PDB file of all heavy atoms in Angstrom:
ATOM      1  N   PHE A 196       8.902  -3.942   7.820  1.00 98.00           N
ATOM      2  CA  PHE A 196       7.660  -3.371   7.332  1.00 98.00           C
ATOM      3  C   PHE A 196       7.917  -2.508   6.108  1.00 98.00           C
ATOM      4  O   PHE A 196       8.895  -1.758   6.057  1.00 98.00           O
ATOM      5  CB  PHE A 196       7.022  -2.534   8.445  1.00 98.00           C
ATOM      6  CG  PHE A 196       5.900  -1.650   7.986  1.00 98.00           C
ATOM      7  CD1 PHE A 196       4.632  -2.159   7.772  1.00 98.00           C
ATOM      8  CD2 PHE A 196       6.115  -0.300   7.776  1.00 98.00           C
ATOM      9  CE1 PHE A 196       3.598  -1.343   7.354  1.00 98.00           C
ATOM     10  CE2 PHE A 196       5.092   0.525   7.362  1.00 98.00           C
ATOM     11  CZ  PHE A 196       3.833  -0.006   7.149  1.00 98.00           C
ATOM     12  N   VAL A 197       7.007  -2.594   5.132  1.00 98.00           N
ATOM     13  CA  VAL A 197       7.109  -1.794   3.917  1.00 98.00           C
ATOM     14  C   VAL A 197       5.949  -0.808   3.792  1.00 98.00           C
ATOM     15  O   VAL A 197       6.158   0.397   3.645  1.00 98.00           O
ATOM     16  CB  VAL A 197       7.174  -2.685   2.660  1.00 98.00           C
ATOM     17  CG1 VAL A 197       7.160  -1.833   1.397  1.00 98.00           C
ATOM     18  CG2 VAL A 197       8.412  -3.565   2.700  1.00 98.00           C
ATOM     19  N   ALA A 198       4.711  -1.315   3.849  1.00 98.00           N
ATOM     20  CA  ALA A 198       3.548  -0.460   3.622  1.00 98.00           C
ATOM     21  C   ALA A 198       2.306  -1.125   4.184  1.00 98.00           C
ATOM     22  O   ALA A 198       2.239  -2.342   4.314  1.00 98.00           O
ATOM     23  CB  ALA A 198       3.354  -0.175   2.135  1.00 98.00           C
ATOM     24  N   ILE A 199       1.294  -0.316   4.498  1.00 98.00           N
ATOM     25  CA  ILE A 199       0.015  -0.818   4.987  1.00 98.00           C
ATOM     26  C   ILE A 199      -1.115   0.009   4.401  1.00 98.00           C
ATOM     27  O   ILE A 199      -0.972   1.222   4.204  1.00 98.00           O
ATOM     28  CB  ILE A 199      -0.045  -0.787   6.536  1.00 98.00           C
ATOM     29  CG1 ILE A 199      -1.336  -1.422   7.051  1.00 98.00           C
ATOM     30  CG2 ILE A 199       0.117   0.629   7.074  1.00 98.00           C
ATOM     31  CD1 ILE A 199      -1.360  -1.636   8.556  1.00 98.00           C
ATOM     32  N   VAL A 200      -2.222  -0.647   4.087  1.00 98.00           N
ATOM     33  CA  VAL A 200      -3.464   0.033   3.777  1.00 98.00           C
ATOM     34  C   VAL A 200      -4.530  -0.508   4.726  1.00 98.00           C
ATOM     35  O   VAL A 200      -4.769  -1.715   4.786  1.00 98.00           O
ATOM     36  CB  VAL A 200      -3.868  -0.119   2.295  1.00 98.00           C
ATOM     37  CG1 VAL A 200      -3.967  -1.572   1.867  1.00 98.00           C
ATOM     38  CG2 VAL A 200      -5.172   0.616   2.027  1.00 98.00           C
ATOM     39  N   ARG A 201      -5.144   0.388   5.493  1.00 97.00           N
ATOM     40  CA  ARG A 201      -6.120  -0.015   6.486  1.00 97.00           C
ATOM     41  C   ARG A 201      -7.495  -0.194   5.865  1.00 97.00           C
ATOM     42  O   ARG A 201      -7.690   0.080   4.674  1.00 97.00           O
ATOM     43  CB  ARG A 201      -6.130   1.002   7.631  1.00 97.00           C
ATOM     44  CG  ARG A 201      -4.758   1.162   8.276  1.00 97.00           C
ATOM     45  CD  ARG A 201      -4.773   2.036   9.506  1.00 97.00           C
ATOM     46  NE  ARG A 201      -3.425   2.243  10.011  1.00 97.00           N
ATOM     47  CZ  ARG A 201      -2.768   1.393  10.796  1.00 97.00           C
ATOM     48  NH1 ARG A 201      -3.339   0.263  11.187  1.00 97.00           N
ATOM     49  NH2 ARG A 201      -1.546   1.670  11.194  1.00 97.00           N
ATOM     50  N   THR A 202      -8.443  -0.666   6.669  1.00 96.00           N
ATOM     51  CA  THR A 202      -9.791  -0.886   6.156  1.00 96.00           C
ATOM     52  C   THR A 202     -10.431   0.420   5.682  1.00 96.00           C
ATOM     53  O   THR A 202     -11.282   0.404   4.793  1.00 96.00           O
ATOM     54  CB  THR A 202     -10.674  -1.543   7.216  1.00 96.00           C
ATOM     55  OG1 THR A 202     -10.698  -0.737   8.403  1.00 96.00           O
ATOM     56  CG2 THR A 202     -10.153  -2.934   7.568  1.00 96.00           C
ATOM     57  N   SER A 203     -10.014   1.524   6.263  1.00 96.00           N
ATOM     58  CA  SER A 203     -10.506   2.837   5.878  1.00 96.00           C
ATOM     59  C   SER A 203      -9.927   3.326   4.553  1.00 96.00           C
ATOM     60  O   SER A 203     -10.422   4.297   3.984  1.00 96.00           O
ATOM     61  CB  SER A 203     -10.173   3.857   6.962  1.00 96.00           C
ATOM     62  OG  SER A 203      -8.773   4.014   7.081  1.00 96.00           O
ATOM     63  N   GLY A 204      -8.853   2.679   4.088  1.00 96.00           N
ATOM     64  CA  GLY A 204      -8.132   3.135   2.918  1.00 96.00           C
ATOM     65  C   GLY A 204      -6.911   3.980   3.234  1.00 96.00           C
ATOM     66  O   GLY A 204      -6.124   4.287   2.333  1.00 96.00           O
ATOM     67  N   ASN A 205      -6.722   4.366   4.489  1.00 97.00           N
ATOM     68  CA  ASN A 205      -5.538   5.122   4.874  1.00 97.00           C
ATOM     69  C   ASN A 205      -4.283   4.270   4.717  1.00 97.00           C
ATOM     70  O   ASN A 205      -4.305   3.061   4.954  1.00 97.00           O
ATOM     71  CB  ASN A 205      -5.649   5.612   6.318  1.00 97.00           C
ATOM     72  CG  ASN A 205      -6.666   6.717   6.472  1.00 97.00           C
ATOM     73  OD1 ASN A 205      -7.007   7.410   5.519  1.00 97.00           O
ATOM     74  ND2 ASN A 205      -7.164   6.896   7.689  1.00 97.00           N
ATOM     75  N   THR A 206      -3.184   4.903   4.355  1.00 98.00           N
ATOM     76  CA  THR A 206      -1.929   4.202   4.088  1.00 98.00           C
ATOM     77  C   THR A 206      -0.780   4.785   4.887  1.00 98.00           C
ATOM     78  O   THR A 206      -0.793   5.961   5.271  1.00 98.00           O
ATOM     79  CB  THR A 206      -1.568   4.258   2.599  1.00 98.00           C
ATOM     80  OG1 THR A 206      -1.430   5.629   2.198  1.00 98.00           O
ATOM     81  CG2 THR A 206      -2.643   3.600   1.754  1.00 98.00           C
ATOM     82  N   ASN A 207       0.234   3.948   5.138  1.00 98.00           N
ATOM     83  CA  ASN A 207       1.484   4.372   5.745  1.00 98.00           C
ATOM     84  C   ASN A 207       2.619   3.589   5.099  1.00 98.00           C
ATOM     85  O   ASN A 207       2.423   2.458   4.657  1.00 98.00           O
ATOM     86  CB  ASN A 207       1.493   4.141   7.256  1.00 98.00           C
ATOM     87  CG  ASN A 207       0.559   5.053   7.996  1.00 98.00           C
ATOM     88  OD1 ASN A 207      -0.558   4.682   8.327  1.00 98.00           O
ATOM     89  ND2 ASN A 207       1.010   6.280   8.254  1.00 98.00           N
ATOM     90  N   TYR A 208       3.814   4.198   5.082  1.00 98.00           N
ATOM     91  CA  TYR A 208       4.965   3.601   4.419  1.00 98.00           C
ATOM     92  C   TYR A 208       6.211   3.698   5.280  1.00 98.00           C
ATOM     93  O   TYR A 208       6.366   4.625   6.075  1.00 98.00           O
ATOM     94  CB  TYR A 208       5.246   4.317   3.095  1.00 98.00           C
ATOM     95  CG  TYR A 208       4.110   4.240   2.115  1.00 98.00           C
ATOM     96  CD1 TYR A 208       3.110   5.204   2.102  1.00 98.00           C
ATOM     97  CD2 TYR A 208       4.035   3.192   1.203  1.00 98.00           C
ATOM     98  CE1 TYR A 208       2.060   5.128   1.208  1.00 98.00           C
ATOM     99  CE2 TYR A 208       2.985   3.114   0.302  1.00 98.00           C
ATOM    100  CZ  TYR A 208       2.002   4.081   0.311  1.00 98.00           C
ATOM    101  OH  TYR A 208       0.960   4.006  -0.584  1.00 98.00           O
ATOM    102  N   ALA A 209       7.102   2.729   5.097  1.00 98.00           N
ATOM    103  CA  ALA A 209       8.427   2.843   5.676  1.00 98.00           C
ATOM    104  C   ALA A 209       9.155   4.017   5.031  1.00 98.00           C
ATOM    105  O   ALA A 209       8.959   4.316   3.850  1.00 98.00           O
ATOM    106  CB  ALA A 209       9.218   1.556   5.459  1.00 98.00           C
ATOM    107  N   ASP A 210      10.006   4.676   5.811  1.00 98.00           N
ATOM    108  CA  ASP A 210      10.737   5.826   5.281  1.00 98.00           C
ATOM    109  C   ASP A 210      11.564   5.465   4.047  1.00 98.00           C
ATOM    110  O   ASP A 210      11.734   6.289   3.142  1.00 98.00           O
ATOM    111  CB  ASP A 210      11.649   6.416   6.355  1.00 98.00           C
ATOM    112  CG  ASP A 210      10.880   7.163   7.427  1.00 98.00           C
ATOM    113  OD1 ASP A 210       9.707   7.511   7.203  1.00 98.00           O
ATOM    114  OD2 ASP A 210      11.466   7.411   8.501  1.00 98.00           O
ATOM    115  N   SER A 211      12.070   4.244   3.997  1.00 98.00           N
ATOM    116  CA  SER A 211      12.947   3.832   2.914  1.00 98.00           C
ATOM    117  C   SER A 211      12.244   3.737   1.562  1.00 98.00           C
ATOM    118  O   SER A 211      12.902   3.761   0.524  1.00 98.00           O
ATOM    119  CB  SER A 211      13.599   2.489   3.247  1.00 98.00           C
ATOM    120  OG  SER A 211      12.613   1.495   3.468  1.00 98.00           O
ATOM    121  N   VAL A 212      10.913   3.631   1.566  1.00 98.00           N
ATOM    122  CA  VAL A 212      10.170   3.490   0.315  1.00 98.00           C
ATOM    123  C   VAL A 212       9.211   4.639   0.065  1.00 98.00           C
ATOM    124  O   VAL A 212       8.590   4.700  -1.009  1.00 98.00           O
ATOM    125  CB  VAL A 212       9.393   2.156   0.260  1.00 98.00           C
ATOM    126  CG1 VAL A 212      10.323   0.987   0.544  1.00 98.00           C
ATOM    127  CG2 VAL A 212       8.217   2.157   1.235  1.00 98.00           C
ATOM    128  N   LYS A 213       9.087   5.542   0.999  1.00 98.00           N
ATOM    129  CA  LYS A 213       8.145   6.650   0.886  1.00 98.00           C
ATOM    130  C   LYS A 213       8.439   7.477  -0.364  1.00 98.00           C
ATOM    131  O   LYS A 213       9.581   7.850  -0.624  1.00 98.00           O
ATOM    132  CB  LYS A 213       8.214   7.514   2.140  1.00 98.00           C
ATOM    133  CG  LYS A 213       7.032   8.435   2.347  1.00 98.00           C
ATOM    134  CD  LYS A 213       7.077   9.070   3.738  1.00 98.00           C
ATOM    135  CE  LYS A 213       6.991   8.023   4.832  1.00 98.00           C
ATOM    136  NZ  LYS A 213       7.014   8.634   6.193  1.00 98.00           N
ATOM    137  N   GLY A 214       7.403   7.750  -1.133  1.00 98.00           N
ATOM    138  CA  GLY A 214       7.545   8.504  -2.366  1.00 98.00           C
ATOM    139  C   GLY A 214       7.842   7.651  -3.576  1.00 98.00           C
ATOM    140  O   GLY A 214       7.755   8.153  -4.707  1.00 98.00           O
ATOM    141  N   ARG A 215       8.202   6.384  -3.374  1.00 98.00           N
ATOM    142  CA  ARG A 215       8.510   5.480  -4.484  1.00 98.00           C
ATOM    143  C   ARG A 215       7.488   4.355  -4.633  1.00 98.00           C
ATOM    144  O   ARG A 215       7.229   3.911  -5.752  1.00 98.00           O
ATOM    145  CB  ARG A 215       9.898   4.866  -4.299  1.00 98.00           C
ATOM    146  CG  ARG A 215      11.021   5.893  -4.264  1.00 98.00           C
ATOM    147  CD  ARG A 215      12.389   5.218  -4.297  1.00 98.00           C
ATOM    148  NE  ARG A 215      12.607   4.373  -3.138  1.00 98.00           N
ATOM    149  CZ  ARG A 215      12.824   3.055  -3.190  1.00 98.00           C
ATOM    150  NH1 ARG A 215      12.850   2.428  -4.362  1.00 98.00           N
ATOM    151  NH2 ARG A 215      13.036   2.368  -2.074  1.00 98.00           N
ATOM    152  N   PHE A 216       6.945   3.879  -3.517  1.00 98.00           N
ATOM    153  CA  PHE A 216       6.002   2.757  -3.531  1.00 98.00           C
ATOM    154  C   PHE A 216       4.596   3.260  -3.232  1.00 98.00           C
ATOM    155  O   PHE A 216       4.411   4.264  -2.524  1.00 98.00           O
ATOM    156  CB  PHE A 216       6.368   1.711  -2.477  1.00 98.00           C
ATOM    157  CG  PHE A 216       7.626   0.932  -2.744  1.00 98.00           C
ATOM    158  CD1 PHE A 216       8.511   1.290  -3.742  1.00 98.00           C
ATOM    159  CD2 PHE A 216       7.919  -0.179  -1.967  1.00 98.00           C
ATOM    160  CE1 PHE A 216       9.672   0.568  -3.983  1.00 98.00           C
ATOM    161  CE2 PHE A 216       9.069  -0.914  -2.186  1.00 98.00           C
ATOM    162  CZ  PHE A 216       9.949  -0.541  -3.194  1.00 98.00           C
ATOM    163  N   ALA A 217       3.593   2.543  -3.728  1.00 98.00           N
ATOM    164  CA  ALA A 217       2.202   2.858  -3.440  1.00 98.00           C
ATOM    165  C   ALA A 217       1.422   1.570  -3.200  1.00 98.00           C
ATOM    166  O   ALA A 217       1.458   0.654  -4.027  1.00 98.00           O
ATOM    167  CB  ALA A 217       1.577   3.647  -4.583  1.00 98.00           C
ATOM    168  N   ILE A 218       0.733   1.500  -2.072  1.00 98.00           N
ATOM    169  CA  ILE A 218      -0.110   0.361  -1.747  1.00 98.00           C
ATOM    170  C   ILE A 218      -1.568   0.724  -2.004  1.00 98.00           C
ATOM    171  O   ILE A 218      -1.981   1.863  -1.770  1.00 98.00           O
ATOM    172  CB  ILE A 218       0.100  -0.097  -0.286  1.00 98.00           C
ATOM    173  CG1 ILE A 218      -0.623  -1.415  -0.008  1.00 98.00           C
ATOM    174  CG2 ILE A 218      -0.325   0.979   0.699  1.00 98.00           C
ATOM    175  CD1 ILE A 218      -0.276  -2.032   1.346  1.00 98.00           C
ATOM    176  N   SER A 219      -2.336  -0.231  -2.500  1.00 98.00           N
ATOM    177  CA  SER A 219      -3.753  -0.011  -2.746  1.00 98.00           C
ATOM    178  C   SER A 219      -4.497  -1.332  -2.579  1.00 98.00           C
ATOM    179  O   SER A 219      -3.891  -2.405  -2.589  1.00 98.00           O
ATOM    180  CB  SER A 219      -3.997   0.571  -4.136  1.00 98.00           C
ATOM    181  OG  SER A 219      -3.543  -0.317  -5.145  1.00 98.00           O
ATOM    182  N   ARG A 220      -5.807  -1.248  -2.424  1.00 98.00           N
ATOM    183  CA  ARG A 220      -6.617  -2.459  -2.284  1.00 98.00           C
ATOM    184  C   ARG A 220      -7.856  -2.360  -3.142  1.00 98.00           C
ATOM    185  O   ARG A 220      -8.408  -1.272  -3.358  1.00 98.00           O
ATOM    186  CB  ARG A 220      -6.997  -2.697  -0.812  1.00 98.00           C
ATOM    187  CG  ARG A 220      -7.897  -1.633  -0.198  1.00 98.00           C
ATOM    188  CD  ARG A 220      -8.011  -1.810   1.321  1.00 98.00           C
ATOM    189  NE  ARG A 220      -8.632  -3.073   1.670  1.00 98.00           N
ATOM    190  CZ  ARG A 220      -8.457  -3.708   2.828  1.00 98.00           C
ATOM    191  NH1 ARG A 220      -7.651  -3.184   3.747  1.00 98.00           N
ATOM    192  NH2 ARG A 220      -9.074  -4.858   3.056  1.00 98.00           N
ATOM    193  N   ASP A 221      -8.295  -3.511  -3.642  1.00 97.00           N
ATOM    194  CA  ASP A 221      -9.522  -3.627  -4.411  1.00 97.00           C
ATOM    195  C   ASP A 221     -10.387  -4.643  -3.682  1.00 97.00           C
ATOM    196  O   ASP A 221     -10.195  -5.854  -3.824  1.00 97.00           O
ATOM    197  CB  ASP A 221      -9.231  -4.069  -5.842  1.00 97.00           C
ATOM    198  CG  ASP A 221     -10.467  -4.060  -6.724  1.00 97.00           C
ATOM    199  OD1 ASP A 221     -11.590  -4.108  -6.196  1.00 97.00           O
ATOM    200  OD2 ASP A 221     -10.307  -4.003  -7.955  1.00 97.00           O
ATOM    201  N   ASN A 222     -11.317  -4.165  -2.884  1.00 96.00           N
ATOM    202  CA  ASN A 222     -12.138  -5.059  -2.067  1.00 96.00           C
ATOM    203  C   ASN A 222     -13.033  -5.964  -2.915  1.00 96.00           C
ATOM    204  O   ASN A 222     -13.360  -7.074  -2.501  1.00 96.00           O
ATOM    205  CB  ASN A 222     -12.982  -4.257  -1.083  1.00 96.00           C
ATOM    206  CG  ASN A 222     -12.166  -3.657   0.044  1.00 96.00           C
ATOM    207  OD1 ASN A 222     -11.013  -4.032   0.259  1.00 96.00           O
ATOM    208  ND2 ASN A 222     -12.753  -2.714   0.766  1.00 96.00           N
ATOM    209  N   ALA A 223     -13.432  -5.500  -4.092  1.00 96.00           N
ATOM    210  CA  ALA A 223     -14.261  -6.318  -4.973  1.00 96.00           C
ATOM    211  C   ALA A 223     -13.503  -7.529  -5.492  1.00 96.00           C
ATOM    212  O   ALA A 223     -14.106  -8.548  -5.826  1.00 96.00           O
ATOM    213  CB  ALA A 223     -14.785  -5.482  -6.131  1.00 96.00           C
ATOM    214  N   LYS A 224     -12.173  -7.431  -5.581  1.00 97.00           N
ATOM    215  CA  LYS A 224     -11.336  -8.524  -6.062  1.00 97.00           C
ATOM    216  C   LYS A 224     -10.572  -9.231  -4.954  1.00 97.00           C
ATOM    217  O   LYS A 224      -9.800 -10.144  -5.232  1.00 97.00           O
ATOM    218  CB  LYS A 224     -10.348  -8.009  -7.103  1.00 97.00           C
ATOM    219  CG  LYS A 224     -11.000  -7.489  -8.368  1.00 97.00           C
ATOM    220  CD  LYS A 224      -9.956  -7.036  -9.377  1.00 97.00           C
ATOM    221  CE  LYS A 224     -10.605  -6.570 -10.662  1.00 97.00           C
ATOM    222  NZ  LYS A 224      -9.600  -6.107 -11.652  1.00 97.00           N
ATOM    223  N   ASN A 225     -10.769  -8.815  -3.700  1.00 97.00           N
ATOM    224  CA  ASN A 225     -10.038  -9.378  -2.561  1.00 97.00           C
ATOM    225  C   ASN A 225      -8.533  -9.375  -2.818  1.00 97.00           C
ATOM    226  O   ASN A 225      -7.831 -10.354  -2.555  1.00 97.00           O
ATOM    227  CB  ASN A 225     -10.512 -10.798  -2.254  1.00 97.00           C
ATOM    228  CG  ASN A 225     -11.892 -10.838  -1.626  1.00 97.00           C
ATOM    229  OD1 ASN A 225     -12.480  -9.804  -1.311  1.00 97.00           O
ATOM    230  ND2 ASN A 225     -12.418 -12.038  -1.439  1.00 97.00           N
ATOM    231  N   THR A 226      -8.031  -8.255  -3.319  1.00 98.00           N
ATOM    232  CA  THR A 226      -6.641  -8.167  -3.732  1.00 98.00           C
ATOM    233  C   THR A 226      -6.016  -6.870  -3.242  1.00 98.00           C
ATOM    234  O   THR A 226      -6.652  -5.810  -3.278  1.00 98.00           O
ATOM    235  CB  THR A 226      -6.522  -8.258  -5.259  1.00 98.00           C
ATOM    236  OG1 THR A 226      -7.063  -9.510  -5.703  1.00 98.00           O
ATOM    237  CG2 THR A 226      -5.067  -8.181  -5.699  1.00 98.00           C
ATOM    238  N   VAL A 227      -4.766  -6.964  -2.791  1.00 98.00           N
ATOM    239  CA  VAL A 227      -3.978  -5.802  -2.432  1.00 98.00           C
ATOM    240  C   VAL A 227      -2.779  -5.733  -3.372  1.00 98.00           C
ATOM    241  O   VAL A 227      -2.240  -6.769  -3.790  1.00 98.00           O
ATOM    242  CB  VAL A 227      -3.535  -5.836  -0.952  1.00 98.00           C
ATOM    243  CG1 VAL A 227      -2.628  -7.033  -0.668  1.00 98.00           C
ATOM    244  CG2 VAL A 227      -2.858  -4.531  -0.548  1.00 98.00           C
ATOM    245  N   TYR A 228      -2.359  -4.512  -3.720  1.00 98.00           N
ATOM    246  CA  TYR A 228      -1.272  -4.296  -4.660  1.00 98.00           C
ATOM    247  C   TYR A 228      -0.159  -3.481  -4.014  1.00 98.00           C
ATOM    248  O   TYR A 228      -0.383  -2.712  -3.084  1.00 98.00           O
ATOM    249  CB  TYR A 228      -1.769  -3.540  -5.894  1.00 98.00           C
ATOM    250  CG  TYR A 228      -2.928  -4.198  -6.592  1.00 98.00           C
ATOM    251  CD1 TYR A 228      -4.236  -3.818  -6.306  1.00 98.00           C
ATOM    252  CD2 TYR A 228      -2.726  -5.196  -7.535  1.00 98.00           C
ATOM    253  CE1 TYR A 228      -5.309  -4.413  -6.940  1.00 98.00           C
ATOM    254  CE2 TYR A 228      -3.789  -5.798  -8.174  1.00 98.00           C
ATOM    255  CZ  TYR A 228      -5.081  -5.404  -7.876  1.00 98.00           C
ATOM    256  OH  TYR A 228      -6.143  -6.004  -8.512  1.00 98.00           O
ATOM    257  N   LEU A 229       1.033  -3.646  -4.538  1.00 98.00           N
ATOM    258  CA  LEU A 229       2.153  -2.784  -4.185  1.00 98.00           C
ATOM    259  C   LEU A 229       2.845  -2.376  -5.479  1.00 98.00           C
ATOM    260  O   LEU A 229       3.502  -3.198  -6.119  1.00 98.00           O
ATOM    261  CB  LEU A 229       3.143  -3.492  -3.255  1.00 98.00           C
ATOM    262  CG  LEU A 229       4.298  -2.620  -2.766  1.00 98.00           C
ATOM    263  CD1 LEU A 229       3.785  -1.532  -1.817  1.00 98.00           C
ATOM    264  CD2 LEU A 229       5.370  -3.464  -2.074  1.00 98.00           C
ATOM    265  N   GLU A 230       2.668  -1.116  -5.858  1.00 98.00           N
ATOM    266  CA  GLU A 230       3.358  -0.582  -7.023  1.00 98.00           C
ATOM    267  C   GLU A 230       4.691  -0.010  -6.580  1.00 98.00           C
ATOM    268  O   GLU A 230       4.735   0.841  -5.691  1.00 98.00           O
ATOM    269  CB  GLU A 230       2.515   0.481  -7.714  1.00 98.00           C
ATOM    270  CG  GLU A 230       3.143   0.992  -8.996  1.00 98.00           C
ATOM    271  CD  GLU A 230       2.242   1.904  -9.791  1.00 98.00           C
ATOM    272  OE1 GLU A 230       1.066   2.068  -9.417  1.00 98.00           O
ATOM    273  OE2 GLU A 230       2.710   2.455 -10.804  1.00 98.00           O
ATOM    274  N   MET A 231       5.763  -0.482  -7.184  1.00 98.00           N
ATOM    275  CA  MET A 231       7.113  -0.101  -6.806  1.00 98.00           C
ATOM    276  C   MET A 231       7.759   0.618  -7.983  1.00 98.00           C
ATOM    277  O   MET A 231       7.884   0.046  -9.069  1.00 98.00           O
ATOM    278  CB  MET A 231       7.923  -1.330  -6.405  1.00 98.00           C
ATOM    279  CG  MET A 231       7.263  -2.162  -5.305  1.00 98.00           C
ATOM    280  SD  MET A 231       8.277  -3.577  -4.794  1.00 98.00           S
ATOM    281  CE  MET A 231       8.227  -4.552  -6.296  1.00 98.00           C
ATOM    282  N   ASN A 232       8.171   1.849  -7.757  1.00 98.00           N
ATOM    283  CA  ASN A 232       8.795   2.675  -8.787  1.00 98.00           C
ATOM    284  C   ASN A 232      10.188   3.092  -8.362  1.00 98.00           C
ATOM    285  O   ASN A 232      10.512   3.101  -7.175  1.00 98.00           O
ATOM    286  CB  ASN A 232       7.947   3.914  -9.056  1.00 98.00           C
ATOM    287  CG  ASN A 232       6.548   3.584  -9.509  1.00 98.00           C
ATOM    288  OD1 ASN A 232       6.366   2.856 -10.479  1.00 98.00           O
ATOM    289  ND2 ASN A 232       5.550   4.116  -8.814  1.00 98.00           N
TER     290      ASN A 232
END
């Protein structure tokens, strides 16, 4: 597991990526993103 964004918009991350990765969703585009830094 890496990351999750729930229907509410709440997110959780694996400890190994916390602070570096960000998950987001755009419901209008039916798309989920994972930004990795």
Side-chain angles (χ1 to χ4, degrees):
F196 167 79
V197 175
I199 185 170
V200 56
R201 303 187 185 277
T202 57
S203 65
N205 289 338
T206 60
N207 290 98
Y208 299 90
D210 287 343
S211 59
V212 307
K213 197 170 298 181
R215 299 189 298 119
F216 291 11
I218 189 171
S219 61
R220 65 190 297 156
D221 186 339
N222 288 346
K224 295 182 178 179
N225 288 354
T226 300
V227 63
Y228 305 95
L229 184 68
E230 184 172 354
M231 305 183 293
N232 301 305

